[in-house]
Amino acid sequence: MSWSGFKKAVDRAGTSLMQKTGQIERTVDREFADEESRYKQFEKETMALQKESKAYLEAMRSMTAAQARLAATIDTFYGAADRNSDGAMAGHAYKRSVEDLDGVITKEFEQPYRTTILEPVGKMAAMFPMVNETIAKREKKMLDYDSARSRLRKLVDKPSEDPTKLPRAQQEHDEAKEIFDMLNDQLIAELPQLLDLRIPYFDPSFESMIRMQVKFAEEGYEKLGGVQRYFSESVRDDYAAGQLDAQVEGVLQEMKELSICGA
């Protein structure tokens, strides 16, 4: 930081402190305050959207990976009993299906998801530091303006013996006000435009996310639905009739009756 920049920072810190103690009046612009509040909410929502979008992709990858591990265990479980049984063939078919689904996430889901959702949201979020920098610059110029206005009022209320001080203070006031007004008006005009553009910007990403979810659900239904043909019709009928619970309880009772299970 240059000496000039350091001096300005010190002067602004002093002005801010004096405003807190009521010694210098602070400029209040309700219109800007309202627009800034709306913008800050937009920023908060976008950052949450970015975070949850990343978490969703991670959850999808974790889910299919866990499903593949579960399928491998089921395949081993049934295969250890009788590799030629209906259950063993169903377990193997299930393992193959979920491995295909895991591949779908990697090959057909992840890259399009990054391209159409994560990247656009990331680009939107990347604009906030620039906007925040402009808002911070406005705050600094407002302090300069408030300080110049305070000095001018003091000279008007109590004229100096030096006749050059009042014109110089007036010039400094006018220049500070012009710079502040320019930034203030720019933000009041453009912050609402930025917020209005957020919906048409994100609409394609939202549609893409829905389409990819539908495609993944359809892939899952098609691949996992094919596993059912390895079960006998009686098992499917019992499932539809809600009779499998009774069957499971019956087998569990037989286990309990074994001496090694505490009978």
Side-chain angles (χ1 to χ4, degrees):
M1 180 184 292
S2 66
W3 173 253
S4 175
F6 175 74
K7 185 176 182 302
K8 284 184 178 180
V10 172
D11 289 344
R12 288 164 180 162
T15 300
S16 180
L17 180 62
M18 294 177 73
Q19 287 178 334
K20 291 177 181 178
T21 58
Q23 299 177 61
I24 293 181
E25 181 184 356
R26 179 179 177 84
T27 297
V28 177
D29 189 320
R30 294 298 179 190
E31 187 176 7
F32 169 78
D34 290 343
E35 296 300 341
E36 183 187 27
S37 177
R38 292 178 61 224
Y39 161 74
K40 288 298 183 183
Q41 183 63 30
F42 165 50
E43 180 183 22
K44 180 181 177 181
E45 292 169 353
T46 302
M47 300 311 292
L49 180 62
Q50 184 181 39
K51 178 182 177 181
E52 296 306 327
S53 297
K54 290 179 179 178
Y56 175 80
L57 179 58
E58 290 296 327
M60 290 292 288
R61 290 193 302 199
S62 296
M63 183 270 291
T64 57
Q67 194 174 31
R69 293 192 298 270
L70 174 63
T73 303
I74 290 175
D75 185 38
T76 302
F77 180 85
Y78 274 103
D82 182 359
R83 298 200 65 84
N84 296 318
S85 67
D86 290 344
M89 288 189 287
H92 185 67
Y94 176 62
K95 178 175 178 288
R96 188 170 58 248
S97 295
V98 297
E99 285 175 345
D100 289 345
L101 276 179
D102 193 36
V104 166
I105 284 290
T106 303
K107 297 177 183 178
E108 301 180 26
F109 188 92
E110 183 171 344
Q111 189 54 50
Y113 187 87
R114 290 184 181 279
T115 302
T116 62
I117 298 170
L118 293 184
E119 290 180 10
V121 174
K123 290 177 181 177
M124 186 188 298
M127 292 188 296
F128 295 133
M130 293 179 283
V131 178
N132 291 336
E133 185 178 342
T134 303
I135 292 174
K137 185 177 180 180
R138 173 199 177 272
E139 176 71 16
K140 293 176 181 178
K141 297 305 179 182
M142 185 184 72
L143 289 172
D144 293 345
Y145 168 50
D146 290 346
S147 178
R149 183 180 60 214
S150 177
R151 290 195 301 271
L152 177 62
R153 284 179 178 175
K154 288 179 181 178
L155 285 171
V156 170
D157 294 341
K158 189 177 180 181
S160 171
E161 294 180 0
D162 184 348
T164 65
K165 282 190 174 182
L166 182 59
R168 185 165 62 250
Q170 182 69 57
Q171 182 180 358
E172 291 174 353
H173 167 273
D174 293 347
E175 290 176 353
K177 183 177 187 303
E178 182 180 1
I179 294 172
F180 167 72
D181 284 345
M182 180 185 68
L183 278 172
N184 193 57
D185 292 344
Q186 179 187 25
L187 285 165
I188 289 174
E190 294 187 3
L191 283 177
Q193 295 178 38
L194 178 63
L195 267 65
D196 289 344
L197 290 170
R198 72 190 188 278
I199 299 301
Y201 177 80
F202 188 67
D203 271 351
S205 295
F206 184 37
E207 181 180 1
S208 176
M209 182 173 65
I210 297 301
R211 288 181 180 274
M212 280 187 282
Q213 288 183 346
V214 168
K215 178 176 175 57
F216 182 75
E218 289 174 344
E219 289 273 359
Y221 181 81
E222 178 184 347
K223 294 182 182 302
L224 294 177
V227 179
Q228 295 186 40
R229 65 188 180 89
Y230 290 96
F231 292 101
S232 66
E233 290 187 10
S234 61
V235 172
R236 282 178 285 182
D237 292 342
D238 289 345
Y239 176 81
Q243 297 175 359
L244 289 183
D245 286 347
Q247 177 183 327
V248 170
E249 287 299 323
V251 174
L252 180 61
Q253 184 59 40
E254 290 183 34
M255 290 180 177
K256 289 180 178 180
E257 291 173 357
L258 296 173
S259 59
I260 58 174
C261 293

